[in-house]
Amino acid sequence: MKIAISGKGGVGKTTLAALLAQVYADQGRDVLAVDADPSPCLAGALGFPDELREELHPVSEMDELIEERTGAKPGTVGGFFTLNPRVDDIPDRFSVSHRGVRILEMGAVDIGGSGCICPESAMLKTLFTHLLFRKDDILILDMYAGVEHLGRATVDFVDVMLVVVEPTRRSLGTAAQIKKLANDIGLTRLWLVGNKVRDEQEARFLEDGTPGLPVLGYLPADLAVQEADRLGHAVYDYVPALREAAETMAAKLAEEVVAIGERN
Ligand SMILES: Nc1ncnc2c1ncn2[C@@H]1O[C@H](COP(=O)(O)OP(=O)(O)OP(=O)(O)O)[C@@H](O)[C@H]1O
Ligand SMILES: [Mg+2]
């Protein structure tokens, strides 16, 4: 399953991406966590040790390799290039693994807006397929804040999109925009995840204000989340309430996706 996580800036996309990645990894799944933020921080949220993070190079530094393998310069649209470039040696050069989660940083590569007919997109698609070849494998895509990245190419990388909101009208406004754009590009499996929720009332605010998206679950507001960040610990280890909420969401998501599959 390929899960993208979107939402307004600062709502908790990276926190949720890290939690879900570790939940699935601890279930024994192969997990590829992709940080699509140009200023990456998913590795930190997953508690990757500094030595490993130093080894990590963003895909945007792959320019020469993309040209070598596809026969076209990244950034070009149209023209001829290989649609199934060789990628088998790339994972070890551009990603690192820790506790069952393999992480890949995109750097400044835009996977959504550039459209599906470009060399870097062909490279990434082949790479993801190469890394995730079993049905149970999980791809978690921590997306760039906002809506600009939601181009047609996104659909190729995503089965399910989780839209994170906090109990504010503004984050619900962004969720409504994301829903519209996602539906425009044919992505219909969307769920809302409420984060930083302090009480019943805030949960109800989100439930009442949802732009027609079903609510997958809520993550409680907890100052320990920021403390984990300061201390360099994974929220998954440091804040049990959030880990448990993420486990519940992963279970619910599995049920919902199966249910959709049966209806279709
Ligand atoms: N449940 C929570 N309770 C308290 N603080 C939280 C919670 N979830 C996230 N935070 C804090 O909110 C801030 C933003 O979280 P995070 O980085 O996950 O958001 P983001 O949506 O990925 O942000 P960006 O748009 O910058 O990528 C961080 O300081 C994080 O520690
Ligand atoms: Mg983030």
Side-chain angles (χ1 to χ4, degrees):
M1 184 162 50
K2 296 176 285 180
I3 306 168
I5 300 186
S6 62
K8 189 176 157 15
V11 289
K13 297 177 292 298
T14 301
T15 304
L16 178 67
L19 284 164
L20 285 177
Q22 201 62 58
V23 167
Y24 286 117
D26 282 6
Q27 289 176 358
R29 310 277 199 98
D30 274 357
V31 179
L32 173 65
V34 176
D35 191 341
D37 193 321
S39 51
C41 50
L42 186 55
L46 279 159
F48 270 60
D50 290 343
E51 320 82 79
L52 272 184
R53 292 177 64 183
E54 277 162 22
E55 285 177 30
L56 200 52
H57 297 283
V59 171
S60 55
E61 285 177 14
M62 227 193 262
D63 271 20
E64 275 179 25
L65 198 66
I66 293 175
E67 189 173 0
E68 174 198 313
R69 299 289 165 85
T70 63
K73 257 196 194 343
T76 51
V77 177
F80 290 103
F81 55 88
T82 314
L83 283 170
N84 53 350
R86 187 180 146 227
V87 292
D88 56 336
D89 59 331
I90 290 177
D92 291 335
R93 290 166 69 172
F94 289 93
S95 69
V96 288
S97 286
H98 179 59
R99 292 171 63 188
V101 178
R102 181 182 283 277
I103 195 162
L104 194 69
E105 289 180 352
M106 304 296 295
V109 174
D110 174 10
I111 62 162
S114 48
C116 20
I117 313 166
C118 63
E120 56 269 49
S121 178
M123 189 82 164
L124 284 172
K125 241 193 277 183
T126 314
L127 182 58
F128 290 175
T129 315
H130 176 79
L131 286 166
L132 302 162
F133 52 90
R134 288 178 310 196
K135 196 172 142 271
D136 281 349
D137 291 350
I138 299 282
L139 170 72
I140 306 254
L141 191 57
D142 179 11
M143 299 193 80
Y144 187 44
V147 296
E148 294 78 15
H149 55 274
L150 266 172
R152 290 200 181 275
T154 318
V155 187
D156 293 330
F157 297 107
V158 171
D159 300 316
V160 163
M161 186 173 282
L162 304 183
V163 187
V164 185
V165 289
E166 53 190 13
T168 63
R169 268 179 215 288
R170 282 190 205 158
S171 72
L172 282 168
T174 303
Q177 282 179 295
I178 291 173
K179 183 193 175 203
K180 185 173 178 312
L181 282 167
N183 289 349
D184 286 351
I185 58 174
L187 199 69
T188 50
R189 295 175 181 184
L190 277 83
W191 281 271
L192 201 75
V193 171
N195 185 27
K196 308 187 194 181
V197 174
R198 284 179 301 183
D199 51 31
E200 266 307 301
Q201 209 179 341
E202 291 193 338
R204 207 158 330 117
F205 171 80
L206 289 175
E207 214 151 291
D208 293 343
T210 172
L213 296 176
V215 179
L216 186 66
Y218 299 106
L219 296 171
D222 196 326
L223 287 178
V225 175
Q226 281 144 59
E227 209 172 283
D229 176 273
R230 277 199 301 277
L231 298 171
H233 296 312
V235 169
Y236 182 84
D237 302 317
Y238 200 73
V239 197
L242 266 79
R243 184 189 67 227
E244 284 155 25
E247 284 166 350
T248 308
M249 275 185 230
K252 188 170 172 198
L253 191 59
E255 281 171 27
E256 301 264 345
V257 169
V258 168
I260 289 175
E262 281 167 2
R263 274 204 301 277
N264 292 339

